[in-house]
Amino acid sequence: MPEAKQIYDAKLDPTMQNVYFDIDEMRERVLEDGRVLPYRYVHGGIKEHAIKFSFCYPPKEQYQGRFFQYLSPFPGPDEELASLDKTGEDDKIAFCLLHGAYYVESNMGSAAMFAPGGDSKMCFKASAAAAEWSRKVAMEYYGCSRPFGYVHGGSGGGYKTMACIENTNAWDGAVPYVIGSPYSLPNTVTMHVKGQRVLRHVFPKIFDAIDAGGSGDMYEGLTADEADTLRELTAMGIPPRAWYFESRGLMLDGSTTVLLPGVKEKDPSYFEEFWTVPGYEGADPSSTAYRDRLLFQAKVRAVHVPEEGMDETGASNGVDDSYRKMFVNGKDAWIELEELPQGDDLYLKGVYVIINTGAAAGKRMLLDQLIPDETGKGGRITIGMCFGLSDLADVIDSIHPGDMLTLDNSDYIAIQSYYRHQVPSDLSFRAWDCIRDEEKKPLYPQRATIIGPEYCGTGTVQDGHIQGKVINIQAYMDESTCNWCADWYRHKIMEVQGDDRNHRVWYMEKCLHGDVASLENNVITNYLGALRQALLDLSDWVERGIEPPMSTNYSYANGQVYLPETAKERRGVQPVVSLSANGQECLHIKAGQTVRFLGKAQLPEGAGEITFVDFDFEEHQEYPAVNLFATPGTFVSEDETGVVYAAEHIYDQPGTYFASVRVKAERHGDKTDPFTQVKNIARARIIVE
């Protein structure tokens, strides 16, 4: 018989007992509607492992016997403080207090996501210790029995959440969200950047085809290289609608530059063989990789180092930006060169500035911009956000006129195709079928080591042995982890437990990877309401045996997850929404005509009640958009097929417009709870002549 799995108990770990408390005081949080939420704030830690934690306790009369603990994707030395400055819908602490739970956050005993040296499992051990010490304080404060505990985190924090619920006994349930698989890193991040490179000229065309009233053919008008790349990345799992940001000109490379050095350390020969060995894209002179490669040497003419420093990165503790705390920002630093590379279509993402001579020889920085001078031959380069260079200002200051440097994007392009050479032997990772042959063998040369599992950052790989109940929130448009990862994890749990009776997965349509309230306009919305409702449903499930709404019903084919059209079939917790303009999804009218919009909403069983139906009549590309959904809908009808609301608008000027409707639902029909409104949107295209 296989050896029983060892489950960690922080209460029995002698190294987790030397605790200290250095802050214990009353504080307040204020909701946007003016409500004041008092709480007891306790800060402390465990010196032996450099663990620090924060506990936020509601008043005794409001406490309901539980806590919610958040795990950041990239913990830092002061991560236990990261949620204290959040406001509005992003305020994790206020959500807990409002719903009678106390809040726990720690730095997980690490200053980086990938625990350097020591105990690679420290993230879940430290988190468990924080949970258990929070219980001790709570039992003394409230005079209660053992509080129930629920852990949650997204993206990198999702890996940590799964590690916690699979390997410890500290929590009764978990809500991992926008999760990856053991092979997501570095692959999904880097293949997304490959799409940004190859498809950089056609994103508006791609998204327009699949937008409301579009042709539906996203391959129309693409070159053979572009179509082949889009087809392969779609089959690998990137949802086509996830290219929304790129269609609006936002080419963000996410954590690629954080992941690249680790890959190069583990597999240095790949970055040479990619350009020289047949079977690798870079060795093919006709490939887009070969075309976009930049290797340019230049001489330094002058250097400027800003006096105000270079440490501001805008990092927070959310799933989209927490990795930024590992960068140093070049800000206004620049280097003037005698010559700049020339060309109308230079690929300037991921360009390393490599110093070849002088005092800074061997140092590597990341290019931000090329700024030609009036001659058009020379000019300045600015420095971007650099990973692993705490002495960036000193490096730039040590560069002098006459020094030689190289602008080189070779590594950045090479890593974009790494997924082709990291095909898992485990065939349950079906997305790689697109680069397997009929016998399920890889089509491309494979590296000696498959490094994905090492990048989970937890010292473990999720195995489905959950020690409690789990609700998984997965963004349907996830641009960073691929939404099929939730399906894979569900099947892993079923493989272990025989079924998924202790697990739910809720897919959230029109949602991207990010977990901030501002990620909303009339194309996308956010899943925060569903995430908070999942925590409440989880506590009801564990503590009172109240079954949460059923998992979202979906199908999987060729790397993509597909959702049914009706709420009855789709299930989950999110409203299913549609919008028509004079009865059509794509309407052609003359200027000055009145358009009647009908927004229809359907609720899955157990999802609650519709609380708001609001309309918007023009495109809002920025986020957070100003005056978004400013027109409340007028109730029209309700039957077994859904609820219909209406609004009217006149377009005075010719042009193409996108109108939209946003529907919110709340489990108890409560319009005053800012944290549990579950949202969805729909769009219609209006062409005015």
Side-chain angles (χ1 to χ4, degrees):
M1 295 181 62
E3 184 179 346
K5 182 171 182 175
Q6 297 297 309
I7 302 301
Y8 176 75
D9 188 338
K11 301 186 299 299
L12 303 179
D13 186 343
T15 72
M16 294 295 183
Q17 307 313 312
N18 186 20
V19 70
Y20 69 89
F21 297 100
D22 53 8
I23 302 176
D24 190 337
E25 62 189 23
M26 293 302 298
R27 295 183 178 182
E28 292 181 342
R29 302 191 81 78
V30 181
L31 301 182
E32 290 185 326
D33 62 8
R35 283 180 285 174
V36 177
L37 304 176
Y39 66 100
R40 178 188 175 192
Y41 177 72
V42 177
H43 180 275
I46 301 172
K47 290 183 178 179
E48 188 163 349
H49 297 293
I51 298 168
K52 295 190 292 183
F53 47 67
S54 288
F55 309 148
C56 301
Y57 296 96
K60 295 179 181 180
E61 64 274 13
Q62 296 175 15
Y63 175 62
Q64 296 179 19
R66 69 187 67 93
F67 69 89
F68 298 130
Q69 183 169 350
Y70 174 70
L71 306 183
S72 169
F74 286 80
D78 300 312
E79 195 66 32
E80 82 283 3
L81 308 176
S83 295
L84 293 175
D85 63 351
K86 299 293 184 287
T87 59
E89 194 180 348
D90 294 316
D91 193 338
K92 303 177 183 71
I93 300 172
F95 159 73
C96 293
L97 301 175
L98 188 65
H99 289 275
Y102 69 84
Y103 180 79
V104 176
E105 188 164 12
S106 80
N107 71 347
M108 302 180 226
S110 176
M113 178 180 178
F114 312 115
D119 189 347
S120 62
K121 300 178 181 179
M122 182 51 62
C123 73
F124 72 73
K125 291 181 178 180
S127 298
E132 298 297 2
W133 278 106
S134 81
R135 283 193 172 102
K136 288 191 174 184
V137 175
M139 288 188 284
E140 293 174 1
Y141 182 45
Y142 297 120
C144 64
S145 58
R146 174 189 178 277
F148 291 95
Y150 308 97
V151 63
H152 65 294
S155 195
Y159 285 122
K160 294 171 175 59
T161 298
M162 291 180 286
C164 283
I165 200 63
E166 290 182 348
N167 295 282
T168 84
N169 60 4
W171 298 274
D172 303 282
V175 180
Y177 60 97
V178 292
I179 65 170
S181 79
Y183 296 96
S184 289
L185 292 176
N187 299 306
T188 55
V189 175
T190 57
M191 71 186 187
H192 189 97
V193 176
K194 180 177 183 177
Q196 290 181 330
R197 175 177 61 83
V198 180
L199 305 174
R200 62 187 184 270
H201 301 304
V202 293
F203 282 123
K205 185 183 300 184
I206 292 170
F207 195 82
D208 184 74
I210 58 178
D211 201 358
S215 68
D217 183 1
M218 62 183 181
Y219 298 100
E220 183 180 3
L222 272 58
T223 67
D225 285 333
E226 291 165 343
D228 288 345
T229 298
L230 179 58
R231 192 171 290 108
E232 181 171 292
L233 296 182
T234 302
M236 283 295 299
I238 296 181
R241 290 184 179 275
W243 300 115
Y244 161 68
F245 277 155
E246 286 78 9
S247 73
R248 300 316 193 250
L250 297 174
M251 301 286 185
L252 304 176
D253 55 8
S255 58
T256 307
T257 50
V258 173
L259 298 170
L260 197 156
V263 175
K264 192 165 186 178
E265 180 180 357
K266 295 177 183 299
D267 191 2
S269 63
Y270 169 78
F271 294 87
E272 298 175 5
E273 294 174 17
F274 178 82
W275 298 105
T276 58
V277 176
Y280 292 87
E281 184 180 356
D284 178 3
S286 67
S287 70
T288 61
Y290 191 93
R291 177 199 67 196
D292 288 330
R293 188 183 191 187
L294 176 66
L295 282 171
F296 184 82
Q297 290 192 335
K299 182 181 289 188
V300 174
R301 180 181 289 163
V303 180
H304 171 72
V305 182
E307 296 180 359
E308 62 271 19
M310 302 181 180
D311 57 352
E312 296 179 13
T313 62
S316 183
N317 68 339
V319 301
D320 268 348
D321 60 5
S322 58
Y323 71 91
R324 294 165 66 97
K325 63 170 66 79
M326 304 170 75
F327 285 92
V328 177
N329 192 349
K331 291 173 69 175
D332 298 321
W334 51 259
I335 302 171
E336 186 175 352
L337 304 179
E338 291 186 358
E339 293 184 65
L340 293 182
Q342 304 294 312
D344 296 330
D345 191 24
L346 296 175
Y347 179 65
L348 298 176
K349 281 287 188 180
V351 177
Y352 284 95
V353 180
I354 305 170
I355 310 303
N356 300 326
T357 64
K363 295 293 185 179
R364 294 163 63 96
M365 301 174 289
L366 202 63
L367 176 74
D368 183 28
Q369 297 182 70
L370 294 181
I371 306 174
D373 59 23
E374 62 278 1
T375 69
K377 182 180 180 182
R380 296 176 178 178
I381 60 171
T382 59
I383 306 303
M385 291 204 304
C386 300
F387 171 68
L389 268 183
S390 58
D391 59 343
L392 178 59
D394 292 338
V395 170
I396 298 175
D397 196 41
S398 64
I399 302 171
H400 301 291
D403 288 348
M404 297 297 297
L405 57 78
T406 300
L407 303 180
D408 186 355
N409 64 9
S410 302
D411 289 353
Y412 194 74
I413 291 177
I415 200 173
Q416 294 170 11
S417 293
Y418 202 57
Y419 67 94
R420 287 184 169 183
H421 312 285
Q422 292 279 291
V423 178
S425 58
D426 183 346
L427 298 182
S428 71
F429 295 94
R430 295 176 287 175
W432 272 268
D433 284 350
C434 67
I435 50 177
R436 294 181 174 122
D437 63 20
E438 293 181 356
E439 297 180 352
K440 301 297 183 180
K441 303 297 184 183
L443 295 175
Y444 300 100
Q446 295 300 293
R447 308 305 299 169
T449 302
I450 306 296
I451 68 173
E454 299 179 35
Y455 273 72
C456 296
T458 62
T460 66
V461 175
Q462 63 260 49
D463 58 20
H465 287 83
I466 55 176
Q467 305 299 305
K469 298 186 185 298
V470 173
I471 299 178
N472 183 7
I473 303 293
Q474 200 75 0
Y476 192 59
M477 291 172 59
D478 198 317
E479 76 280 15
S480 294
T481 61
C482 296
N483 58 34
W484 60 258
C485 294
D487 171 71
W488 179 86
Y489 191 51
R490 174 186 172 224
H491 282 89
K492 179 57 66 174
I493 292 173
M494 293 171 65
E495 177 185 313
V496 171
Q497 297 203 339
D499 55 39
D500 60 348
R501 64 187 181 280
N502 291 318
H503 173 260
R504 297 286 191 274
V505 54
W506 294 338
Y507 277 100
M508 301 302 297
E509 189 184 28
K510 307 296 175 61
C511 294
L512 290 162
H513 188 72
D515 59 351
V516 293
S518 62
L519 200 62
E520 184 170 29
N521 53 30
N522 74 346
V523 180
I524 55 174
T525 189
N526 62 68
Y527 52 77
L528 289 183
L531 172 60
R532 273 51 181 283
Q533 188 60 55
L535 289 167
L536 299 177
D537 283 349
L538 185 64
S539 65
D540 281 341
W541 196 8
V542 170
E543 298 162 29
R544 286 174 281 281
I546 300 173
E547 293 271 344
M550 299 176 69
S551 289
T552 302
N553 184 26
Y554 61 89
S555 60
Y556 171 92
N558 300 320
Q560 293 296 309
V561 171
Y562 297 94
L563 303 179
E565 293 295 322
T566 67
K568 183 177 180 180
E569 295 176 289
R570 187 179 299 185
R571 305 193 302 242
V573 294
Q574 188 182 33
V576 175
V577 184
S578 62
L579 179 64
S580 65
N582 291 355
Q584 301 177 53
E585 187 182 44
C586 182
L587 175 66
H588 292 257
I589 60 168
K590 299 290 186 182
Q593 289 183 256
T594 298
V595 181
R596 179 172 172 80
F597 294 99
L598 294 179
K600 186 174 183 179
Q602 307 170 46
L603 284 183
E605 182 178 355
E609 302 175 22
I610 292 173
T611 49
F612 299 93
V613 178
D614 300 300
F615 289 83
D616 198 0
F617 304 117
E618 297 188 15
E619 177 88 345
H620 292 283
Q621 295 188 14
E622 73 279 7
Y623 67 92
V626 179
N627 297 321
L628 186 64
F629 299 105
T631 303
T634 301
F635 175 78
V636 175
S637 64
E638 180 177 6
D639 57 28
E640 66 277 3
T641 66
V643 181
V644 178
Y645 282 76
E648 293 185 348
H649 186 71
I650 297 174
Y651 295 95
D652 294 322
Q653 300 297 321
T656 298
Y657 300 87
F658 285 91
S660 53
V661 62
R662 180 180 64 190
V663 176
K664 297 181 181 180
E666 208 277 338
R667 183 60 52 81
H668 307 290
D670 185 356
K671 295 185 177 183
T672 68
D673 192 325
F675 301 111
T676 53
Q677 306 294 326
V678 181
K679 297 177 282 191
N680 202 355
I681 59 175
R683 284 157 59 90
R685 185 187 308 235
I686 301 92
I687 301 172
V688 182
E689 299 175 355

